[in-house]
């Protein structure tokens, strides 16, 4: 018994010893393995872990926005998703190509080629819509991924399309302000180290994930979106009505030199630039160099007055409308003989202007043109802006000087014309035009080119062009003095040999004509059948000026006879007789019964009611009252809170 007990204890001791040895071996192995991992493989494993759980991501910030002078949005960016591949992670090439082809609309063969590539990253389709993105997620295809990008959006569609320009799929500006200011608008690049969990999801330690501001800078333009729309509508109407090839228009605030509108026709929608021809992208106002024709004459007269060559009453023989010089003829549209200088401008005599130019001389005229801004860029910040074309004085002969005196043989852009007339409007002081508002930009010191007396004399002559029996009568605005000048330039033939049957019609208008606040330039290329600037371009300038004045609340109350300038500008019929009577103080005072408001302009009807303490409810759209309640002759409502309703036609 004792012997069995002794053997049992010995067996237990052996088992215990075995277990202890086994555990000792295991722990020794574990400690050895740990030591091996820590001491020898530690650095390598640490790098592998970092690669698995931390990833470096390159991010480009949102592109800056473009605003008008009043803070209205002209261009912005919105988030969009794009599809890309990592071919090394694709499981089944054929199956993936088949499913992906149905979703993104790319052929299977093209996708199979991309899926079989050895590259690590391949774009499939950029900036897809939400429906496609949702289908990609639902398909859950290995190796196919979605990523966030920014797509450019122009909320006003064609408004200032050529001026603003557009960006490519990579977010780089390709035309217009988008291209010129790309260095400011482009979002900054930033690289972030992002922690991921086992499923590859991002783990941020704060709400935003990073604090680096990668957004591009905003750009603010001097244009007014409302005036831009007014100008575009008037320009498009003029080009279509006269079957023109293209048109351009510029509106300038005289005091500041700010461009309030720069319009082009045909219109262009940068949201769909891929569907448009590059010809439509063209910003004619800064890119097209044209011979301006007679709109150049006020510049000639300013130079001649400043050099003492002429006085307003100096007489010139206009040769009965036909004058031969150096074997070539200069013609006028009418047969004039002796005219004083101011009537030469009023009636736009080419012969009279040529004789003034020849008295002025090549050197004086050439350097005056250069000093006022022709032959050099206006530096507006628009890509590709042209310098124009003025040959050196040494290359001018007698006929060249005569032709340049009435705007032929020299090349200018619409914005150069605006800058030149801005000098006249500013009483002889040269000021730069401005398109981009930049607080850090250096201000150019204005310089005087000619005297205030000269400028006033030229403005007086330009007022005769519109207000008297000159060529610009169609630019008249009742109640406002307008100064202007027409231009009808023959266009050189495409082979450069003489002039053909095509013309450029233009008009420059300034209001008020004695002390201008606004300047408008309109050009229409190859109008037909009528090609005269006074017929084609002058009405467009009038329309722009009238609507602009109405927008600023500066349209005079006194209308001529029975026509209202605002309604006329909007294409309405002349106001009915009730509207004429609306200016009568007895109507505005209003008696004990409701006056007859039907036929009145809305603004006058509201004025009548407000004076009695009533704010009417407006129904319908339009500018003329068509119906009223209570009706005319009924008693006024007893309380000011009672309703008066006006229906508009």
């Amino acid at each position: 018994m004792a012997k069995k007990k002794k053997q049992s204890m010995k067996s237990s001791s052996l088992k215990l010893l075995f277990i202890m040895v086994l555990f000792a071996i295991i722990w020794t192995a574990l400690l050895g393995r740990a030591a091996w991992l820590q001491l020898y493989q530690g650095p390598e494993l640490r790098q592998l872990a970092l690669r698995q759980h931390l990833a470096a991501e390159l991010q480009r910030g949102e592109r800056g926005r473009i605003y008008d002078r009043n803070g209205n949005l002209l261009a912005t960016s919105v988030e969009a998703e794009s599809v890309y591949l990592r071919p090394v992670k694709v499981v089944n090439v054929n199956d993936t190509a088949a499913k992906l082809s149905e979703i993104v609309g790319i052929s299977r063969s093209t996708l199979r080629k991309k899926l079989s590539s050895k590259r690590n990253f391949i774009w499939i389709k950029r900036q897809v819509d939400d429906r496609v993105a949702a289908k990609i997620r639902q398909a859950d295809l290995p190796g196919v991924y979605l990523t966030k990008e920014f797509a450019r959006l122009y909320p006003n569609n064609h408004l200032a399309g050529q001026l603003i320009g557009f960006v490519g799929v990579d977010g780089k500006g390709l035309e217009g302000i988008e291209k010129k200011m790309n260095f400011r608008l482009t979002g900054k690049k930033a690289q972030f180290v992002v922690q991921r969990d086992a499923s590859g999801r991002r783990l941020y330690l704060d709400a935003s994930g990073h604090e680096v501001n990668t957004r591009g800078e905003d750009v603010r333009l001097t244009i007014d979106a409302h005036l831009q729309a007014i100008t575009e509508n008037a320009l498009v109407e003029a080009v279509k009505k006269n079957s023109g090839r293209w048109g351009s228009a510029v509106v300038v605030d005289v005091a500041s030199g700010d461009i309030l509108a720069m319009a082009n026709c045909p219109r262009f929608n940068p949201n769909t630039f891929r569907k448009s021809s590059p010809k439509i992208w063209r910003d004619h106002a800064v890119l097209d160099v044209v011979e301006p024709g007679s709109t150049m004459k006020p510049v000639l007269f300013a130079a001649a007055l400043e050099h003492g060559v002429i006085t307003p009453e100096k007489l010139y023989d206009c040769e009965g409308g036909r004058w031969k010089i150096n074997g070539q003829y200069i013609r006028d549209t009418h047969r004039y003989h002796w005219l004083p200088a101011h009537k030469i401008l009023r009636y736009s005599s080419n012969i009279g202007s040529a004789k003034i130019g020849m008295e002025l001389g090549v050197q004086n005229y050439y350097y005056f043109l250069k000093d006022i801004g022709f032959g050099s860029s206006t530096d507006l910040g628009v890509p590709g802006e042209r310098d124009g074309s003025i040959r050196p004085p040494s290359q001018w002969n007698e006929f060249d000087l005569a032709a340049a005196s009435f705007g032929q043989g020299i090349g200018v852009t619409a914005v150069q014309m605006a800058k030149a007339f801005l000098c006249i409007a500013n009483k002889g002081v040269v000021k730069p035009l401005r398109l981009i508002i930049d607080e850090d930009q250096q201000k150019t010191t204005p310089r005087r080119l000619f005297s205030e007396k000269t400028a006033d004399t030229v403005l007086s002559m330009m007022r005769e062009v519109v207000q008297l029996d000159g060529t610009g009568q169609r630019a008249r605005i009742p109640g406002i003095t307008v100064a202007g000048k027409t231009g009808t330039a023959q266009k050189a033939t495409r082979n450069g040999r003489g002039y053909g049957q095509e013309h450029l019609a233009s008009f420059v208008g300034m209001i008020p004509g004695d002390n201008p606040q606004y300047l408008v330039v309109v050009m229409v290329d190859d109008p037909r059948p009528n090609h005269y600037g006074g017929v084609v371009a002058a009405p467009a300038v009038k329309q722009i000026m009238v609507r602009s004045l109405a927008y600023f609340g500066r349209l005079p109350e006194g209308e001529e006879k029975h026509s209202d300038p605002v309604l006329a500008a909007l294409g309405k019929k002349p106001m009915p007789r009730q509207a004429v009577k609306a200016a009568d103080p007895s109507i505005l005072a209003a008696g004990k019964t409701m006056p007859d408001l039907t036929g009145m302009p809305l603004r006058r009807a509201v004025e009548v009611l407000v004076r009695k303490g009533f704010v009417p409810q407006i129904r319908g759209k339009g500018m003329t009252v068509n119906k009223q309640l209570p009706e005319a002759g009924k008693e006024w409502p007893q309380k000011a809170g009672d309703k008066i309703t006006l229906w508009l036609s």
Side-chain angles (χ1 to χ4, degrees):
M1 183 72 179
K3 186 177 180 180
K4 288 182 178 181
K5 186 175 182 181
K6 187 176 180 180
Q7 289 178 346
S8 177
M9 290 179 64
K10 185 177 180 181
S11 177
S12 298
S13 297
L14 290 173
K15 290 179 180 179
L16 183 61
L17 180 61
F18 175 76
I19 292 173
M20 291 175 63
V21 172
L22 180 62
F23 271 96
I25 294 172
I26 291 173
W27 279 109
T28 300
L30 290 174
L31 290 172
R33 179 61 176 169
W36 175 264
L37 293 175
Q38 290 290 333
L39 298 176
Y40 294 98
Q41 290 189 314
E44 180 182 354
L45 293 175
R46 188 179 299 108
Q47 291 298 322
L48 291 174
L50 287 174
R51 291 179 184 177
Q52 182 175 353
H53 296 289
L54 296 178
E57 293 192 354
L58 186 65
Q59 178 177 321
R60 181 181 289 279
E62 179 183 354
R63 190 174 178 85
R65 298 174 181 177
I66 301 176
Y67 296 94
D68 81 339
R69 66 188 299 113
N70 300 313
N72 296 310
L73 191 62
L74 300 177
T76 186
S77 296
V78 294
E79 277 196 351
E81 293 188 281
S82 296
V83 188
Y84 70 93
L85 290 177
R86 292 197 183 278
V88 293
K89 297 196 175 185
V90 174
V91 176
N92 188 317
V93 171
N94 291 328
D95 184 55
T96 302
K99 292 180 179 179
L100 195 56
S101 176
E102 294 180 3
I103 298 173
V104 298
I106 300 176
S107 67
R108 295 188 185 186
S109 59
T110 300
L111 289 173
R112 276 196 296 267
K113 186 177 180 180
K114 291 185 176 183
L115 290 165
S116 303
S117 172
K118 295 182 180 181
R119 295 168 58 189
N120 188 45
F121 181 97
I122 299 176
W123 284 115
I124 292 298
K125 198 165 187 178
R126 309 286 292 275
Q127 299 173 8
V128 299
D129 58 38
D130 294 340
R131 183 181 301 176
V132 172
K135 289 182 178 180
I136 293 288
R137 290 192 187 90
Q138 188 176 1
D140 193 22
L141 300 171
V144 181
Y145 304 95
L146 291 167
T147 186
K148 295 282 186 182
E149 287 193 299
F150 288 101
R152 202 60 164 167
L153 177 67
Y154 304 93
N156 300 298
N157 296 318
H158 58 68
L159 187 75
Q162 288 94 341
L163 173 61
I164 297 171
F166 55 87
V167 301
V169 71
D170 291 313
K172 182 179 179 180
L174 300 179
E175 289 290 342
I177 295 297
E178 293 277 27
K179 179 179 181 180
K180 186 67 177 182
M181 303 303 292
N182 190 66
F183 69 99
R184 278 181 54 180
L185 291 165
T186 300
K188 302 175 183 65
K189 290 182 180 180
Q191 190 167 356
F192 305 101
V193 177
V194 182
Q195 189 173 3
R196 300 176 182 273
D197 63 11
S199 300
R201 294 172 298 187
R202 295 182 179 184
L203 297 175
Y204 287 131
L205 299 179
D206 58 15
S208 63
H210 55 80
E211 297 179 357
V212 179
N213 182 13
T214 58
R215 191 175 181 276
E217 296 179 46
D218 295 334
V219 170
R220 193 155 64 100
L221 305 181
T222 61
I223 69 167
D224 183 304
H226 187 81
L227 289 185
Q228 180 73 23
I230 288 173
T231 306
E232 286 185 9
N233 291 336
L235 181 64
V236 168
E237 183 179 328
V239 172
K240 288 185 176 180
K241 182 179 179 180
N242 297 282
S243 303
R245 185 177 291 124
W246 58 262
S248 63
V250 182
V251 181
V252 181
D253 176 76
V254 171
S256 63
D258 286 355
I259 293 179
L260 302 178
M262 186 186 294
N264 289 278
C265 178
R267 286 172 167 169
F268 162 64
N269 186 348
N271 289 308
T272 57
F273 73 90
R274 293 181 184 86
K275 299 179 181 179
S276 303
S277 164
K279 293 181 180 180
I280 306 297
W281 306 347
R282 189 174 183 83
D283 191 342
H284 297 284
V286 296
L287 296 179
D288 279 48
V289 177
V290 298
E291 295 180 53
S294 294
T295 47
M296 185 64 76
K297 289 173 182 175
V299 178
L300 167 74
F301 275 61
L305 285 164
E306 189 66 13
H307 284 86
V309 172
I310 64 169
T311 63
E313 300 299 330
K314 185 175 180 179
L315 292 172
Y316 288 88
D317 183 5
C318 295
E319 308 289 346
R322 190 167 182 264
W323 185 42
K324 188 175 183 179
I325 177 173
N326 283 2
Q328 300 183 68
Y329 284 98
I330 296 175
R331 294 178 175 83
D332 284 337
T333 55
H334 295 83
R335 294 183 177 181
Y336 301 114
H337 288 281
W338 288 94
L339 288 177
H342 68 96
K343 287 190 177 181
I344 289 175
L345 189 67
R346 185 198 301 180
Y347 301 139
S348 198
S349 168
N350 291 338
I351 295 173
S353 298
K355 290 188 174 183
I356 292 173
M358 293 177 71
E359 284 191 29
L360 178 62
V362 173
Q363 295 288 336
N364 289 335
Y365 189 37
Y366 172 83
Y367 287 110
F368 193 89
L369 292 176
K370 295 291 287 185
D371 287 342
I372 209 169
F374 294 115
S376 58
S377 169
T378 59
D379 295 325
L380 287 180
V382 179
E385 183 182 352
R386 304 286 295 277
D387 292 339
S389 175
I390 303 179
R391 289 175 295 164
S394 59
Q395 298 180 15
W396 291 31
N397 59 35
E398 195 174 35
F399 185 81
D400 292 333
L401 174 58
S405 299
F406 51 87
Q408 299 281 177
I410 57 177
V412 304
T413 64
V415 291
Q416 286 178 329
M417 291 298 292
K419 184 179 179 181
F421 279 90
L422 178 63
C423 180
I424 296 175
N426 272 300
K427 304 301 178 72
V429 176
V430 177
K431 292 177 67 175
L433 294 172
R434 187 173 71 148
L435 180 61
I436 300 170
I437 298 175
D438 187 349
E439 296 178 356
D440 298 328
Q441 66 187 7
Q442 295 180 353
K443 293 184 178 180
T444 304
T445 303
R447 58 183 175 85
R448 179 166 292 280
L449 178 59
F450 50 88
S451 69
E452 187 171 339
K453 180 181 178 181
T454 295
D456 287 337
T457 304
V458 173
L459 284 172
S460 175
M461 294 179 180
M462 292 178 67
R463 289 196 296 272
E464 293 182 21
V465 172
V466 179
Q467 303 301 136
L468 298 181
D469 59 338
T471 57
Q473 297 177 53
R474 299 195 184 198
R476 288 180 185 170
I477 300 174
I480 287 188
T481 303
V482 179
K485 186 65 192 80
T486 57
T488 307
Q490 279 186 286
K491 294 181 64 178
T493 57
R494 299 186 187 279
N495 59 17
R497 298 177 181 176
Y499 291 87
Q501 299 301 312
E502 296 183 358
H503 295 80
L504 179 87
S506 61
F507 188 83
V508 179
M510 293 183 279
I511 50 173
D514 54 346
N515 189 24
Q517 296 178 5
Y518 302 103
L519 161 67
V520 183
V521 178
V522 168
M523 293 181 175
V524 177
D525 181 59
D526 194 25
R528 297 171 185 269
N530 201 315
H531 55 261
Y532 293 107
V535 177
V536 175
V541 171
K542 174 185 177 179
Q543 186 174 338
I544 293 168
M545 291 193 296
V546 168
R547 294 186 180 183
S548 299
L549 289 173
Y551 169 62
F552 287 121
R554 298 179 182 178
L555 200 66
E557 290 294 328
E559 297 85 8
E560 282 189 355
K561 298 181 180 179
H562 62 280
S563 64
D564 181 279
V566 178
L567 296 182
L570 293 173
K572 303 289 183 182
K573 296 179 180 179
M575 288 194 298
R577 193 173 299 276
Q578 296 97 320
V580 183
K581 295 180 179 179
D584 191 332
S586 62
I587 296 178
L588 292 177
K592 295 182 179 180
T593 59
M594 284 288 297
D596 185 4
L597 304 176
T598 57
M600 281 190 187
L602 176 61
R603 66 176 185 272
R604 294 199 181 280
V606 171
E607 183 181 356
V608 172
L609 298 177
V610 169
R611 289 193 178 193
K612 294 290 290 186
F614 295 93
V615 178
Q617 290 188 340
I618 309 299
R619 298 283 185 269
K621 296 181 179 180
M623 297 185 66
T624 306
V625 178
N626 187 45
K627 180 182 175 183
Q628 68 181 77
L629 191 68
E631 298 175 351
K634 300 289 185 180
E635 291 187 1
W636 285 91
Q638 297 300 312
K639 297 181 296 182
D642 291 344
K643 295 179 180 179
I644 294 179
T645 306
L646 302 178
W647 283 266
L648 305 182
S649 61

